[in-house]
Amino acid sequence: RRVLCRSALEPPTCTKQPDPNRPRGRGRPRGACITCTSGARQGTCSKKNVVYQLECRECGDMYVGETGRALETRVMEHNADARRKTAASPWGQHLHTRHPDVALSTQESVFSSVRILAKEADRARRKLREAIEIRSRQPAINISTGWSLLP
C-alpha cells in the first residue's frame, strides 16, 4: 500500500532527458525531448489523446491542435515543419511569413511553451474539443478552425 501511495504522488519523468554531465551546446541538449524542454511538465511528452497549445518563442503567437499519438511525436513534426518552413503546414507558413530570418538547427525548438488543454480518448470528442478551443482562444497560427461548430 505504501508503494502505491508514493508512486501516485511522484510526477512522471521523461525518458529522453539529457545526461546532466553532458556538455550543453547551442539550443536544447542532444537527445533531449523538445516537449519537456519547452516548458511542459516532465512526462507530458508521452501523453496521448490530447488537445494541446503551442506558443511561438519568437512572437508568442499560439497554435491549438489535437493528436491521438504521443504528444512528443506531434510536437516534433510541428518543429520539423517550422525548421523546413514547409508551406503546407501552419508552423512552416508562420515561420516563412513572420520570421523569415530565423534559422533553426535540428536541436532547437521553435516553441516557448507546450501545454495540454484537455485529454480525451474518443476521437470525435477530441476533435470537437479542439474546435471549441480554437474558437475560444483564436490562435493566430492555426490555418484550420477544426470541426465546424454551430453559432
Side-chain angles (χ1 to χ4, degrees):
R1 183 176 178 167
R2 179 178 281 173
V3 174
L4 279 175
C5 293
R6 192 177 310 149
S7 66
L9 297 175
E10 292 176 9
T13 56
C14 177
T15 58
K16 293 192 173 193
Q17 288 304 303
D19 180 354
N21 298 322
R22 185 180 211 165
R24 191 179 163 112
R26 192 179 143 181
R28 67 186 175 95
R30 181 174 293 283
C33 172
I34 288 176
T35 307
C36 291
T37 56
S38 295
R41 279 186 35 198
Q42 282 264 332
T44 298
C45 60
S46 62
K47 301 289 184 198
K48 296 179 180 181
N49 302 316
V50 297
V51 177
Y52 58 91
Q53 175 182 288
L54 304 174
E55 182 178 338
C56 177
R57 76 169 193 199
E58 300 296 323
C59 64
D61 282 355
M62 301 288 184
Y63 174 86
V64 172
E66 66 83 24
T67 186
R69 300 176 293 159
L71 181 58
E72 180 199 10
T73 303
R74 192 65 187 115
V75 168
M76 286 176 56
E77 290 171 351
H78 284 308
N79 202 58
D81 287 341
R83 191 176 65 248
R84 294 182 193 115
K85 298 184 180 171
T86 307
S89 110
W91 279 100
Q93 283 185 15
H94 178 72
L95 254 68
H96 180 71
T97 58
R98 295 283 310 271
H99 314 293
D101 298 333
V102 172
L104 298 170
S105 74
T106 56
Q107 297 301 312
E108 289 180 294
S109 172
V110 71
F111 315 116
S112 63
S113 74
V114 177
R115 268 184 64 206
I116 291 179
L117 303 175
K119 190 162 173 39
E120 182 59 63
D122 181 71
R123 184 176 185 271
R125 289 181 184 206
R126 193 171 59 247
K127 290 274 192 192
L128 182 61
R129 181 62 185 265
E130 175 195 31
I132 291 168
E133 294 292 345
I134 290 171
R135 179 179 271 186
S136 67
R137 295 170 188 273
Q138 299 181 342
I141 298 174
N142 284 71
I143 294 171
S144 167
T145 57
W147 279 10
S148 294
L149 300 173
L150 296 174

